[in-house]
Structures are given as structure tokens and as C-alpha cells.
């Protein structure tokens, strides 16, 4: 996909990932380790100012992609390019850490209970020495708290004094502290109630517009991902199955897995729901330690043939800007 | 006579900080063979309602007042001994997290047989046969082998199937499902919901489906109760609640969920403010502090439930103001 767009100007994509692999050794017995292929040969690009949604079921490797992208794990294989620069060396990482940040899923465990809100938000500022002097630092903390809709008078409070939605705002303020261009949002609204979810989603969208941010939005709730994303990528067992614009992917999914995934989303409308043709997949997702040969989805796919077991399908452009990895299309 | 009739239920937790009114004046009834959905945010009292019915509240929680009638028989005030004959036998429950609700130190078979032996006069062998039959019913392959396995050896969807098998082993009249699919992936959620609906039709039981997901409600429920801060906002048939919501909270909930069929990316309209602090309940409508339509009376007096349709009740002063409600059940359904 993006790897063959050599002719295009590099500036279109802020982040480019090619043939990314992330394996973890797992102990499977006495003196025996097996490689868990959390991410296996994934390539994609994220355009400047866009939101790329990443969906998939638990254990499909979407969180690992997000973390590896930020070099929180050193990739087993593959390259990550950020703004035309290859990420990996010590020097490149130092600058990269300022420009790329992360918002975590659980607003309870991702904030240090012993630190005040001001110190949590200011941590990136302190680490990267972004503010000279105490007053500038304090002014910046106030600015950030206002930006995410927190009361600046609460700067001396501790995280446990806030509700889930407010904690997530603290996490977002911290991510914004170093003026990043790129933010990986790892299930930022999954732990929140519906009414609060909408508040945080709207805020993320506003911040994107105001600060020109680029997001990788990881979530399992497809209706939320569709709402916030320009394009969506679907993952299954460490492989990328399909990548297309949000409307195209939800309206005209091509990969058999995406098709069944879309049909399984419960529609909050009783009449539509009664009409809905569910394609219920048989069985469970195989263990990531025992990924089937060839196409990882073939064990649950109704269209699986001999070819699927022998060869893993490559990502192909099925229609303009719609990439799919399946032998049968 | 309804299968289950809850009248003015009050359940509180007496914490050192004060009384937390988790369920505050809840009334509803559940008919035979129906699926009733209870929807609400965390802390709205939906799980506590379920625990109150089964009386499995943990200290310092207890039922303060109200009545829960099952087949016309009062459950409030029954001894533990008497409740034990109902729990898992006539009324069963499945929980959100199938990992923590199965005992990790016993095999699946052990736990399944225990429930069957406890409530029926089957012996060891017969209950084992029944366990195999139940596992087959919920679509688990190689049931004999599974009986010897432990919970950790099964996947999340599989564990929830085992929980359902256990809950249905004694053919209960009511199955309470407390967020049964929240911990599961969408494709597995579809499997489990389909299974529950199939079994519900086959066995003719009633289901109380507790969830926060409007999508799940829309796809499986006949009737819905919308809860907020321990009380009912609105209850009625699923169609009435979805197509003709008569409470600002329900309307707010609908506006704040992204619409899958919307390709224009219309901005969501969130409900402002934060959920209510149950320790400091306002005197009026609990939703009033977050309600954009709130009037003076909303802050002062708690609204009663009024009929707004033949199968539709709502507790909102707006309906009284607009004169679209009545104290008696209307004869004809309003258009």
C-alpha cells in the first residue's frame, strides 16, 4: 500500500510504518519459549491531520501497534518513519518523544495517585525542559488545564478526587503538554459512560482542529471509531485485514472478517436491528501463540479454500484507497 | 399476576460517609417470557436492583423498604435459607465477568453439578448427564472433556457459555443477565446474544437484561427501563423508548451515541456535567442539575411517574407542563 507510493511527496504522511513486526517471547514450558507474534508484517501510513482508526478484537495486536509506533517497544523488525525521519537511533528518539504522545485507556491506573494534577500535567514539560522558570511552567499548566476543560483551581488536587471523565481530561492535558503533532489514543473512551464518552470524543475532535493534531485512534467500539476517524484499519491476529475510508469500510466492507464484524455491531434502533442480517462467526479467535498458517482468518472464514491455508494474502488496492488482504477478491 | 413485581424498592448502602441510596423508589413488573432491559450509566443502580431481587447484597447494603413479589410471593424479608431455594433455581443470574464468577480451583463439571445437585434430587451421575446436556445446549464442543477442565483453560466467550449453562441448568423462570456481554468482543457478543435469545424462546423464561449498551437493548428487549441515580426516568416498550422518548435523560443518551449510518460525521451532543454524587442527592429530579430544560420545579420536587402512552411511563416535569401525561393508564395508544 503506502510502501509503493514512492513517487508521492513525503509530506503527505506524518507517520509511515513498513513491514512492522513485534514478537514477544513467551515461556511455554521448562526451558521452552515460543514467539508470540503480536504484530506480524503490518504496513500503513497516517496522513497529516487525519485520524486513523484501528479496530479489532482483543488480542489482535492493535495496542501493540500503538505502543511499538511510539517505540515503547523496540520493533522486532520493520521501519517506522516520522515526518520523513527514521525512528530508532537515540538522537531521533529524543526529538520524537516530544512530538508523539499517548493517551491511555484506563484513567485510573495511568495517573500516579501520589502526584497532584499540576505535577502530572507538567511532567513532560519537566522531562523535556520546555519551560524556563517557575512562572512560565505554572502558566503553561493553567493553559493546558483550560484547554481540556478542567478548573484551574483544582491543580493542587490528586487524581482520586476526580471522576473518570475528568481523569481522562487530565491524561489528555498531559499528552498535550509537550506540544505534540501526533497522539496515539489507546481506547481513550472505553472506560467511560456513554454521556461522558461523547464529551471526550467532542473534545478530542476540537483539539485536533485547533492544534492540527494527527491521531491514531485505537478502539474496539466500531461506531465510535467510525465517528472520529477519516480512515479505518482492521486487524486480526496481528495482521492487517482491511484499510479504507471510514464510510467506505463501514458501508462496503470487502474482507469476510470485516463484513461479519460490521454485521455484529448492535444497532441502537429497534426497527433497523430487527432487519439486521447478522453473520455470526463460528468459534473463537485462535490463540495468538498458534496462528493458523496462511491467512489467519481462514479457520473461521466461510470462503476459505486450500489457497488460504498455504499462502498469506498480501494487502492489495481493491478500489481507490481501499486496501484488502484476501485471496477471494 | 406478573411473574415478578417490584414496588417502590429502596436499597441503600450505609457507608461511614453516609447513606448511599443506590436504588431509590423503583417499581416495575416483569411478565412471563418477556425480555426486559435495564439501561443506565455506572452508579445508576441497575446491578443493585438485580442483587436486591436475589438478596445477594454485600455489607453495608440492605433493602430499606419496598416489596418484591415473585409469583405473588413476597421475597423481601425471606430468610437466607428460603432465598437459597429460589436463587439459582427459580431466579438465576449471570455476571459481567465470567472469569471472576467461576471458581478457579474447581473444574467446570464440579461447579455445574453442584448447582444441579443442590436444587434437584438428581444423584451424582444424573446431574453429570444433565451438565453434559446443558453444555451441549449452549453450544460447547466436546462437553465431556470440558467438564474436567478449569475456568482458565477456556476463552472468555466459552466461560460465559458455561455461566449460562449453569444458570439455566435448573430451568429458572427468570434469568438476570448483568452486563453479560460487556467483557466480550463484538463477534462473541453476537454469538452470546443469539444463544440467549434462542434459549429464551425454547425454555420460555423471562430475561432481565442489564446493560449500558443501547444497541444491545434495541436488538433483544421487549421492554426497557431507563435508570438514573437509582430511580426510573422512563419505562415502556422498546419502540416507545427509542422512537418517542419522553425524558430528557433518554433523549440525551440517544444524542450522545454515534450513529453508524451517519456518513456526515454530525457532532455528538453530549450530556453536560458529571454523574450525580449519590451521597448528596438534590431534593428535586436527580437529573435536573444536568438537564438543559430544567425548570424551577425540577430542582425542588421529585417528579412522579405518569403515563405518557399505553405502554409508556415517564418521570419528567416537562410532560406535566406540556399536558401530555395522565395518572391513569390511557385506553388507546397515542399516535
Amino acid at each position: 500500500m503506502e510502501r509503493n507510493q514512492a513517487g508521492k511527496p513525503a509530506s503527505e504522511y506524518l507517520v509511515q510504518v513498513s513491514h512492522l513486526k513485534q514478537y514477544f517471547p513467551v515461556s511455554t514450558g521448562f526451558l521452552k519459549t515460543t514467539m508470540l507474534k503480536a504484530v506480524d508484517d503490518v504496513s500503513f501510513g497516517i496522513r497529516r491531520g487525519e485520524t486513523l482508526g484501528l479496530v479489532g478484537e482483543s488480542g489482535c495486536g492493535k495496542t501493540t501497534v500503538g505502543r511499538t509506533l511510539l517505540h515503547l517497544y523496540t520493533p522486532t523488525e520493520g521501519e517506522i518513519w516520522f515526518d520523513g525521519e527514521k525512528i530508532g537511533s537515540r538522537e531521533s528518539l529524543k526529538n520524537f518523544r516530544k512530538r508523539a504522545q499517548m493517551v491511555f485507556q484506563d484513567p485510573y491506573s495511568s495517573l500516579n495517585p501520589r502526584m497532584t494534577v499540576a505535577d502530572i500535567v507538567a511532567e513532560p514539560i519537566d522531562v523535556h525542559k520546555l519551560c524556563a522558570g517557575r512562572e512560565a511552567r505554572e502558566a503553561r499548566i493553567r493553559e493546558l488545564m483550560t484547554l481540556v476543560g478542567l478548573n484551574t483551581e483544582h491543580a493542587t488536587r490528586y487524581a482520586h478526587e476526580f471522576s473518570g471523565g475528568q481523569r481522562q481530561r487530565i491524561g489528555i492535558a498531559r499528552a498535550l503538554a509537550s506540544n505534540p503533532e501526533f497522539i496515539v489514543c489507546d481506547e481513550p473512551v472505553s472506560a467511560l459512560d456513554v454521556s461522558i464518552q461523547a464529551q471526550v470524543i467532542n473534545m478530542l475532535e476540537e483539539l485536533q482542529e485547533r492544534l492540527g493534531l494527527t491521531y491514531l485512534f485505537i478502539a474496539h467500539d466500531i461506531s465510535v471509531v467510525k465517528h472520529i476517524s477519516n480512515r479505518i484499519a482492521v486487524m486480526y491476529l496481528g495482521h492487517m485485514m482491511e484499510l479504507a475510508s471510514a464510510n467506505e469500510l463501514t458501508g462496503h466492507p470487502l474482507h469476510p472478517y470485516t463484513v461479519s464484524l460490521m454485521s455484529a455491531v448492535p444497532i441502537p434502533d429497534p426497527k433497523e436491528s430487527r432487519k439486521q442480517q447478522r453473520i455470526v462467526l463460528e468459534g473463537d479467535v485462535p490463540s495468538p501463540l498458534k496462528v493458523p498458517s496462511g491467512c489467519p482468518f481462514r479457520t473461521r472464514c466461510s470462503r476459505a479454500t486450500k489457497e488460504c491455508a498455504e499462502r498469506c494474502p498480501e494487502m492489495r488496492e481493491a478500489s481507490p484507497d481501499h486496501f484488502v488482504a484476501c485471496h477471494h477478491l | 399476576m406478573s411473574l415478578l413485581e417490584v414496588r417502590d424498592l429502596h436499597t441503600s448502602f450505609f457507608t461511614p460517609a453516609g447513606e448511599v441510596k443506590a436504588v431509590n423508589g423503583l417499581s416495575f413488573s416483569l411478565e412471563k417470557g418477556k425480555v426486559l432491559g435495564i439501561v443506565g450509566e455506572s452508579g445508576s443502580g441497575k446491578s443493585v436492583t438485580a442483587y436486591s431481587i436475589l438478596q445477594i447484597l454485600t455489607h453495608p447494603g440492605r433493602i430499606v423498604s419496598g416489596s418484591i413479589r415473585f409469583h405473588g410471593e413476597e421475597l423481601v424479608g425471606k430468610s437466607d435459607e428460603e432465598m437459597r431455594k429460589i436463587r439459582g433455581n427459580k431466579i438465576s443470574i449471570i455476571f459481567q465477568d465470567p472469569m471472576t464468577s467461576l471458581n478457579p480451583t474447581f473444574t467446570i463439571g464440579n461447579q455445574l453439578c453442584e448447582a444441579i445437585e443442590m436444587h434437584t434430587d438428581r444423584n451424582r451421575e444424573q446431574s453429570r448427564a444433565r451438565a453434559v446436556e446443558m453444555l451441549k445446549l449452549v453450544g460447547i464442543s466436546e462437553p465431556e472433556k470440558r467438564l474436567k477442565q478449569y475456568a482458565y483453560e477456556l476463552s472468555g466467550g466459552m466461560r460465559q457459555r458455561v455461566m449460562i449453562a449453569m444458570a439455566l441448568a435448573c430451568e429458572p423462570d427468570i434469568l438476570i443477565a448483568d452486563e453479560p456481554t460487556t467483557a466480550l468482543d463484538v463477534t462473541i457478543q453476537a454469538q452470546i446474544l443469539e444463544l440467549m435469545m434462542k434459549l429464551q424462546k425454547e425454555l420460555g423464561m423471562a430475561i432481565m437484561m442489564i446493560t449500558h449498551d443501547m444497541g444491545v437493548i434495541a436488538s433483544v428487549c421487549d421492554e426497557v427501563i431507563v435508570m438514573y441515580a437509582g430511580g426510573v426516568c422512563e419505562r415502556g416498550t422498546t419502540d416507545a423508548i427509542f422512537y418517542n422518548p419522553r425524558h430528557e435523560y433518554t433523549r440525551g443518551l440517544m444524542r450522545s451515541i454515534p450513529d453508524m449510518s451517519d456518513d456526515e460525521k454530525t457532532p455528538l451532543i453530549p450530556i453536560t456535567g458529571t454523574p450525580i454524587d449519590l451521597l448528596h442527592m438534590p431534593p428535586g429530579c436527580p437529573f435536573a442539575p444536568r438537564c438543559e430544560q430544567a425548570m424551577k420545579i425540577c430542582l425542588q420536587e421529585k417528579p412522579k411517574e405518569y403515563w405518557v402512552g399505553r405502554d409508556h411511563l415517564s418521570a419528567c416535569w416537562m410532560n406535566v407542563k406540556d399536558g401530555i401525561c395522565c395518572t391513569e393508564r390511557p385506553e388507546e395508544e397515542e399516535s
Side-chain angles (χ1 to χ4, degrees):
Chain A
M1 29 189 254
E2 276 77 41
R3 55 193 116 104
N4 50 30
Q5 49 96 46
K8 286 184 189 168
S11 62
E12 192 195 347
Y13 290 93
L14 183 66
V15 181
Q16 270 180 292
V17 175
S18 67
H19 302 285
L20 189 71
K21 288 181 187 173
Q22 182 68 61
Y23 298 169
F24 298 109
V26 179
S27 151
T28 46
F30 182 62
L31 294 181
K32 220 172 99 187
T33 51
T34 310
M35 279 298 171
L36 189 151
K37 297 178 177 176
V39 177
D40 204 3
D41 203 358
V42 163
S43 307
F44 61 95
I46 307 174
R47 293 179 183 136
R48 269 170 218 278
E50 85 163 344
T51 302
L52 178 71
L54 192 54
V55 297
E57 299 180 88
S58 45
C60 73
K62 52 192 195 300
T63 294
T64 309
V65 165
R67 294 192 176 173
T68 310
L69 214 59
L70 293 182
H71 253 267
L72 297 178
Y73 303 134
T74 311
T76 311
E77 235 176 83
E79 290 175 356
I80 298 159
W81 292 74
F82 184 78
D83 203 11
E85 196 185 346
K86 192 178 160 190
I87 304 302
S89 70
R90 248 183 107 84
E91 206 42 48
S92 67
L93 270 179
K94 204 179 155 198
N95 190 22
F96 176 64
R97 291 255 188 266
K98 246 186 285 183
R99 299 170 70 188
Q101 287 287 334
M102 187 154 186
V103 175
F104 298 91
Q105 168 172 11
D106 185 357
Y108 292 84
S109 60
S110 60
L111 302 176
N112 188 334
R114 293 169 189 235
M115 283 165 80
T116 63
V117 172
D119 287 335
I120 291 172
V121 171
E123 211 173 8
I125 302 173
D126 299 339
V127 169
H128 295 292
K129 302 188 179 62
L130 295 173
C131 283
R134 210 168 133 188
E135 255 161 56
R137 179 179 180 266
E138 237 128 78
R140 177 72 178 142
I141 293 169
R142 278 198 299 276
E143 186 191 337
L144 285 164
M145 287 183 72
T146 318
L147 197 62
V148 297
L150 286 169
N151 189 340
T152 48
E153 285 167 23
H154 296 166
T156 53
R157 292 193 182 179
Y158 290 87
H160 72 88
E161 297 173 70
F162 294 89
S163 66
Q166 285 172 313
R167 281 164 190 244
Q168 204 52 293
R169 286 171 195 264
I170 300 171
I172 294 168
R174 172 177 61 187
L176 294 172
S178 62
N179 268 326
E181 291 148 64
F182 175 56
I183 297 181
V184 173
C185 305
D186 188 4
E187 306 251 13
V189 296
S190 316
L192 307 176
D193 276 317
V194 227
S195 70
I196 307 299
Q197 230 179 46
Q199 289 179 8
V200 174
I201 292 170
N202 279 1
M203 189 182 69
L204 284 171
E205 285 179 326
E206 273 166 38
L207 289 170
Q208 178 168 45
E209 198 152 302
R210 261 170 82 176
L211 307 172
L213 297 168
T214 303
Y215 291 143
L216 176 68
F217 194 93
I218 303 167
H220 65 267
D221 186 334
I222 291 150
S223 51
V224 168
V225 172
K226 185 197 169 180
H227 177 82
I228 199 164
S229 308
N230 302 93
R231 292 189 303 149
I232 301 177
V234 180
M235 280 187 75
Y236 186 81
L237 279 178
H239 291 257
M240 196 166 277
M241 307 307 252
E242 192 162 358
L243 174 70
S245 75
N247 294 347
E248 170 82 8
L249 190 105
T250 49
H252 308 281
L254 292 175
H255 197 286
Y257 175 63
T258 321
V259 173
S260 60
L261 195 64
M262 293 305 148
S263 80
V265 179
I267 307 171
D269 184 324
K271 280 177 191 156
E272 289 297 317
S273 189
R274 270 168 232 145
K275 278 190 274 171
Q276 193 177 13
Q277 293 285 320
R278 285 236 173 83
I279 305 161
V280 177
L281 285 179
E282 302 265 312
D284 286 310
V285 184
S287 155
L289 279 171
K290 286 183 214 143
V291 179
S293 66
C295 174
F297 183 59
R298 69 175 170 88
T299 51
R300 297 170 82 195
C301 184
S302 56
R303 301 171 68 175
T305 55
K306 216 175 130 203
E307 193 190 9
C308 301
E310 284 161 0
R311 210 162 47 80
C312 184
E314 301 245 328
M315 280 285 239
R316 297 186 289 114
E317 193 161 6
S319 61
D321 217 23
H322 191 150
F323 299 87
V324 107
C326 182
H327 290 308
H328 302 290
L329 297 163
Chain B
M1 185 174 57
S2 302
L3 183 58
L4 184 78
E5 186 115 27
V6 175
R7 285 282 155 265
D8 202 28
L9 180 70
H10 288 260
T11 300
S12 291
F13 287 81
F14 295 89
T15 68
E19 181 186 354
V20 176
K21 292 177 178 166
V23 175
N24 196 5
L26 178 72
S27 305
F28 67 89
S29 55
L30 176 59
E31 307 297 332
K32 196 171 176 289
K34 290 276 180 196
V35 183
L36 170 75
I38 299 188
V39 67
E41 296 178 81
S42 38
S44 61
K46 40 191 205 308
S47 290
V48 177
T49 304
Y51 299 168
S52 301
I53 293 168
L54 286 169
Q55 296 181 32
I56 47 172
L57 292 158
T58 46
H59 180 79
R62 63 180 162 88
I63 298 173
V64 178
S65 65
S67 128
I68 300 166
R69 283 173 181 276
F70 175 62
H71 282 305
E73 194 185 343
E74 181 62 54
L75 294 188
V76 176
K78 269 201 190 298
S79 69
D80 246 10
E81 194 81 7
E82 291 169 306
M83 276 313 291
R84 214 171 292 147
K85 292 201 179 99
I86 294 169
R87 266 183 232 137
N89 189 20
K90 300 274 175 236
I91 307 176
S92 288
I93 186 164
I94 48 177
F95 298 97
Q96 171 174 352
D97 186 353
M99 188 66 218
T100 50
S101 36
L102 286 169
N103 190 329
T105 62
F106 287 99
T107 60
I108 299 299
N110 233 317
Q111 299 179 58
L112 259 170
C113 293
E114 185 198 2
I116 298 166
E117 273 175 60
M118 191 115 153
H119 294 297
T120 60
D121 38 15
R122 289 186 174 92
N123 62 24
R124 192 88 236 198
E125 219 147 276
Q126 288 165 326
S127 54
R128 212 176 162 75
R130 174 76 180 154
V132 170
E133 189 188 323
M134 285 315 293
L135 287 183
K136 262 190 208 143
L137 187 69
V138 295
I140 288 184
S141 57
E142 305 172 86
E144 275 93 0
K145 186 182 143 201
R146 301 291 176 199
L147 285 181
K148 296 193 192 96
Q149 289 186 317
Y150 291 89
Y152 76 90
E153 294 176 87
L154 306 177
S155 68
M158 202 83 103
R159 281 182 214 138
Q160 201 58 291
R161 283 170 195 266
V162 171
M163 285 304 296
I164 294 174
M166 202 183 288
L168 300 185
C170 298
E171 297 184 359
D173 295 331
I174 302 174
L175 174 68
I176 300 176
D178 187 4
E179 306 253 10
T181 57
T182 308
L184 307 175
D185 286 312
V186 254
T187 58
I188 309 296
Q189 166 170 293
Q191 286 178 2
I192 296 290
L193 287 180
E194 185 164 282
L195 171 72
M196 286 178 70
M197 290 309 112
K198 187 185 124 220
L199 295 177
Q200 189 256 341
K201 283 197 188 81
E202 280 175 23
L203 309 174
M205 62 190 169
I207 295 182
M208 215 171 116
M209 178 72 86
I210 297 171
T211 177
H212 65 268
D213 189 332
M214 288 299 227
V216 172
I217 292 277
S219 52
V220 301
C221 296
D222 301 309
E223 281 164 42
V224 188
I225 300 176
V226 183
M227 283 186 78
Y228 187 79
V232 172
C233 289
E234 186 170 14
R235 58 190 164 115
T237 56
T238 308
D239 282 16
I241 299 291
F242 275 86
Y243 299 123
N244 192 16
R246 285 292 177 80
H247 194 287
E248 270 309 303
Y249 178 62
T250 320
R251 291 192 192 119
L253 269 187
M254 307 272 185
R255 281 194 297 255
S256 55
I257 29 180
D259 181 2
M260 270 291 269
S261 58
D262 170 36
D263 284 354
E264 305 298 318
K265 303 206 189 300
T266 329
L268 302 176
I269 307 168
I271 301 174
T272 51
T274 49
I276 195 164
D277 178 2
L278 290 171
L279 272 171
H280 306 102
M281 292 269 269
C285 169
F287 185 61
R290 298 175 75 184
C291 180
E292 278 169 17
Q293 311 287 332
M295 303 172 290
K296 213 168 157 189
I297 190 166
C298 301
L299 300 166
Q300 291 161 348
E301 207 177 317
K302 206 173 154 178
K304 279 198 198 68
E305 276 188 273
Y306 290 108
W307 292 95
V308 290
R310 176 129 178 95
D311 297 298
H312 195 176
L313 284 134
S314 167
C316 179
W317 285 117
M318 288 294 289
N319 297 326
V320 181
K321 183 189 144 218
D322 296 342
I324 45 169
C325 61
C326 40
T327 50
E328 294 289 314
R329 189 177 180 191
E331 287 300 315
E332 288 291 308
E333 174 71 356
E334 285 176 44
S335 58

